Amino acid sequence: MRISLRIFAPVLMAGLALAGLAGCAHYHLGAAGPLPFHTLYVSVAKNRSFAPQAQAPVTEMLRQSLLQEGNLKLTEQTDADATLEVVLTNFQQVAAATQQGNSLNAQSYTFTLTANCTLVDNRSGKVYFKDRAIDASEVAYVQGGDSLSEAEYQTMPELARQLAQEIKNEVVDTW
């Protein structure tokens, strides 16, 4: 008995498609499982870096990002199941591109802000993670008479938002 290629090819493709879909049947979007805590206290970020006045925007953006998660409630430390501490440890600024014909004048800078984060269960004292380094980077363009400090000032809100998003991902993902 000879099977025609016209019949065999569609049957083979349908079989492969079903096998592929069966592999995705147990996939779901979001965290791998429920978090071991439902309430969280986020302490004010400590700034041990040279990032000017970064603790307030990082703390605010982090709290907003965690509130958007939906499965966490932010509360006071005495009522919280867990505590998140954030320490800003490093702030770097590197010239990313220089002006044509004058390599001493930068056209753009890459700013990187690094934080060490610790998440602790308040009930048992269990440390979920300690001093986990998380960073975010942003490029700022300098035009005309703009200075490095102006570029730094304009970049800080976006850098804080990105860092907060990365920290939130660490908190709600499986460790």
Side-chain angles (χ1 to χ4, degrees):
M1 181 168 132
R2 193 166 180 207
I3 299 177
S4 166
L5 188 57
R6 286 183 160 184
I7 296 172
F8 182 70
V11 169
L12 179 63
M13 294 303 289
L16 289 173
L18 285 174
L21 290 173
C24 298
H26 297 291
Y27 180 81
H28 64 88
L29 189 61
L35 291 173
F37 50 88
H38 300 289
T39 57
L40 180 66
Y41 173 70
V42 179
S43 64
V44 175
K46 295 175 182 70
N47 191 0
R48 298 205 175 109
S49 72
F50 290 112
Q53 300 177 355
Q55 67 274 11
V58 168
T59 302
E60 180 61 27
M61 295 289 187
L62 178 56
R63 288 179 178 163
Q64 286 179 12
S65 183
L66 287 164
L67 284 172
Q68 291 173 355
E69 188 59 28
N71 59 351
L72 277 176
K73 180 181 176 190
L74 299 185
T75 185
E76 295 298 320
Q77 189 170 19
T78 55
D79 300 328
D81 297 334
T83 296
L84 175 64
E85 294 180 354
V86 176
V87 179
L88 304 174
T89 57
N90 193 18
F91 180 65
Q92 289 183 319
Q93 49 206 14
V94 177
T98 58
Q99 290 179 356
Q100 186 176 357
N102 187 351
S103 62
L104 296 178
N105 289 333
Q107 289 262 178
S108 66
Y109 292 92
T110 300
F111 295 101
T112 303
L113 184 57
T114 304
N116 284 354
C117 302
T118 301
L119 181 62
V120 178
D121 187 311
N122 292 343
R123 301 160 297 188
S124 66
K126 177 182 177 183
V127 177
Y128 295 116
F129 55 80
K130 182 172 178 57
D131 294 331
R132 184 168 292 178
I134 301 170
D135 61 18
S137 295
E138 180 70 17
V139 175
Y141 298 95
V142 180
Q143 297 176 0
D146 290 350
S147 68
L148 173 62
S149 61
E150 288 176 51
E152 200 174 82
Y153 177 77
Q154 292 172 356
T155 302
M156 191 53 68
E158 179 60 22
L159 197 56
R161 189 194 66 72
Q162 285 182 23
L163 184 62
Q165 186 67 34
E166 293 296 324
I167 294 169
K168 186 224 30 151
N169 290 343
E170 288 294 319
V171 169
V172 300
D173 286 348
T174 305
W175 314 289

